């Protein structure tokens, strides 16, 4: 019995005409025989979950660098919250949940240590620039699986590359992840900022609260419902004008009161100096990188490109450890 075929037939009978059906995928860069149990998008999801890059997300900053407390978001918990929101929206619109989940799970695999601070620092150091969405695609295409990549389908790769607001994914499932990413980070960043004492729920302007709700759960619920209601039965993912404006205003409010808050960014300069030192050190001594990255240089990949890959793959704590190893004298005993 071919279980994959049962799933594909079910998709044909149930999913929206605007959904991507698994058997209609544009395929992989390198041909592979089909699995008899899982669809192509289910296989992609599983490959991402079992990747090293996915596991490293648990020790990468979301917003607050080295927070004191167990309940602040990391890049991994952010990814899981995006995935939950995206699957709920996809289910409500009868889109392909497996494709949506695979994109959501992989969208931030290329993020640097120390969150967007690290991204800005690497972008200023690397001659070719750095964007985490482009790096996420590089992770699944090149860096994972000992340089072979994960060989994901076109649709998942497109969604990963184009999950940022300014981008335009080729599928509705990709567009769901793009809007879910924003819903997730806006709401959990408020939650973390309240936990950090940077703001109170009551500080949020009434004009925003009246549209999105006054609590964490109300905001997520209203944003999801608004997205499903305004996107149902059409070949697009959208929200109402008042919701779009409220989210835009809420994002501006967060930039002013959280992302650019001196208390929240007080550690960023330390992170900048750390990453700059690591970048300069490994450009000077590339042989000090791990073997899996050194071999890219041996294959002819630009040294600065590989150094950037190496640093971007680091977790916060690994970056700190390596910085200490190369910058702080160690005690020694002559006896």
């Amino acid at each position: 019995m071919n279980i994959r075929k049962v799933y594909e037939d079910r998709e044909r009978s149930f999913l929206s005409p605007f959904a991507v059906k698994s058997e209609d995928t544009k395929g992989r860069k390198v041909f592979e025989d089909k699995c008899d149990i899982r669809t192509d998008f289910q296989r992609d999801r599983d490959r991402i979950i079992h990747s090293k890059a996915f596991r490293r997300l648990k020790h990468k900053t979301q917003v607050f660098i080295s927070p004191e407390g167990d309940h602040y978001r990391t890049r991994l918990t952010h990814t899981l919250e995006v995935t939950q929101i995206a699957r709920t929206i996809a289910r409500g619109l009868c889109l392909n949940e497996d494709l949506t989940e695979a994109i959501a799970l992989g969208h931030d695999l290329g993020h640097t240590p120390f969150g967007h601070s690290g991204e800005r620092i690497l972008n200023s150091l690397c001659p070719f620039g750095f964007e985490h969405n482009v790096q996420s695609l590089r992770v699944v295409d090149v860096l994972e699986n000992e340089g072979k990549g994960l060989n994901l389908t076109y649709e998942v790769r497109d969604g990963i590359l184009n999950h940022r607001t300014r981008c335009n994914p080729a599928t509705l499932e990709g567009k769901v992840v793009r809007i879910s990413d924003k819903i997730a980070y806006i709401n959990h960043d408020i939650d973390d900022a309240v936990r950090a004492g940077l703001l109170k729920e009551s500080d949020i302007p009434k004009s925003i609260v009246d549209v999105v709700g006054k609590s964490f759960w109300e905001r997520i619920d209203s944003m999801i419902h608004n997205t499903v209601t305004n996107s149902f039965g059409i070949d697009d993912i959208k929200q109402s004008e008042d919701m779009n404006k409220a989210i835009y205003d809420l994002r501006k409010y967060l930039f002013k009161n959280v992302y650019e808050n001196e208390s929240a960014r007080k550690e960023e300069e330390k992170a900048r100096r750390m990453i700059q030192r690591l970048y300069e050190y490994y450009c000077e001594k590339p042989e000090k990188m791990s073997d899996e990255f050194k071999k890219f240089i041996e294959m002819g990949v630009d040294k600065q490109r590989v150094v950037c890959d190496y640093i971007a793959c680091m977790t916060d704590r690994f970056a700190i450890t390596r910085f200490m190893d190369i910058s702080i004298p160690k005690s020694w005993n002559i006896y």
Side-chain angles (χ1 to χ4, degrees), residues 76-109:
L76 178 60
T77 55
H78 160 74
T79 294
L80 296 176
E81 291 183 36
V82 172
T83 302
Q84 178 272 315
I85 292 169
R87 286 204 67 150
T88 299
I89 294 174
R91 186 178 298 123
L93 296 174
C94 295
L95 298 178
N96 194 314
E97 291 184 48
D98 295 322
L99 171 56
T100 304
E101 183 179 24
I103 295 170
L105 289 170
H107 82 282
D108 269 355
L109 292 180

Side-chain angles (χ1 to χ4, degrees), residues 208-226:
I208 298 175
V209 171
D210 288 345
V211 177
V212 301
K214 62 183 179 181
S215 71
F216 175 80
W217 300 111
E218 286 181 15
R219 286 190 297 270
I220 289 183
D221 186 67
S222 66
M223 291 178 187
I224 290 174
H225 273 82
N226 190 278

Side-chain angles (χ1 to χ4, degrees), residues 265-314:
R265 297 185 64 180
K266 64 182 180 180
E267 300 301 308
E268 184 171 339
E269 178 57 25
K270 296 178 185 177
R272 187 196 66 76
R273 291 197 299 269
M274 188 183 307
I275 291 179
Q276 182 171 347
R277 175 68 179 119
L278 291 171
Y279 183 82
E280 293 169 348
Y281 177 81
Y282 289 115
C283 281
E284 180 183 348
K285 298 181 179 182
E287 71 277 6
K288 296 295 185 179
M289 291 188 292
S290 63
D291 291 343
E292 63 181 305
F293 288 91
K294 284 190 292 186
K295 73 179 182 182
F296 285 114
I297 296 179
E298 295 168 1
M299 294 165 55
V301 180
D302 182 86
K303 178 177 66 176
Q304 291 174 297
R305 169 75 267 180
V306 179
V307 171
C308 187
D309 289 337
Y310 185 47
I311 295 174
C313 284
M314 292 180 178

Side-chain angles (χ1 to χ4, degrees), residues 161-306:
L161 177 63
N162 292 298
H163 74 268
R164 303 185 79 168
T165 300
R166 68 171 187 271
C167 299
N168 187 29
T171 67
L172 290 192
E173 288 82 359
K175 292 180 178 180
V176 166
V177 173
R178 182 182 59 180
I179 204 166
S180 298
D181 186 29
K182 187 182 297 185
I183 292 173
Y185 80 69
I186 283 176
N187 285 291
H188 65 49
D189 289 355
I190 291 174
D191 192 45
D192 281 354
V194 170
R195 181 170 292 106
L198 295 178
L199 57 83
K200 300 188 292 290
E201 292 276 6
S202 57
D203 294 334
I204 300 174
K206 186 177 183 300
S207 59
I208 298 175
V209 171
D210 288 345
V211 177
V212 301
K214 62 183 179 181
S215 71
F216 175 80
W217 300 111
E218 286 181 15
R219 286 190 297 270
I220 289 183
D221 186 67
S222 66
M223 291 178 187
I224 290 174
H225 273 82
N226 190 278
T227 304
V228 172
T229 300
N230 285 277
S231 306
F232 195 85
I234 64 173
D235 190 14
D236 198 8
I237 303 298
K238 58 191 298 187
Q239 295 172 318
S240 64
E241 289 187 13
D242 63 336
M243 181 60 74
N244 273 330
K245 183 178 185 307
I247 290 176
Y248 175 79
D249 291 343
L250 190 52
R251 191 166 178 268
K252 280 179 59 178
Y253 177 82
L254 281 172
F255 266 96
K256 179 180 179 181
N257 295 279
V258 179
Y259 305 141
E260 297 175 357
N261 183 283
E262 190 62 31
S263 297
R265 297 185 64 180
K266 64 182 180 180
E267 300 301 308
E268 184 171 339
E269 178 57 25
K270 296 178 185 177
R272 187 196 66 76
R273 291 197 299 269
M274 188 183 307
I275 291 179
Q276 182 171 347
R277 175 68 179 119
L278 291 171
Y279 183 82
E280 293 169 348
Y281 177 81
Y282 289 115
C283 281
E284 180 183 348
K285 298 181 179 182
E287 71 277 6
K288 296 295 185 179
M289 291 188 292
S290 63
D291 291 343
E292 63 181 305
F293 288 91
K294 284 190 292 186
K295 73 179 182 182
F296 285 114
I297 296 179
E298 295 168 1
M299 294 165 55
V301 180
D302 182 86
K303 178 177 66 176
Q304 291 174 297
R305 169 75 267 180
V306 179

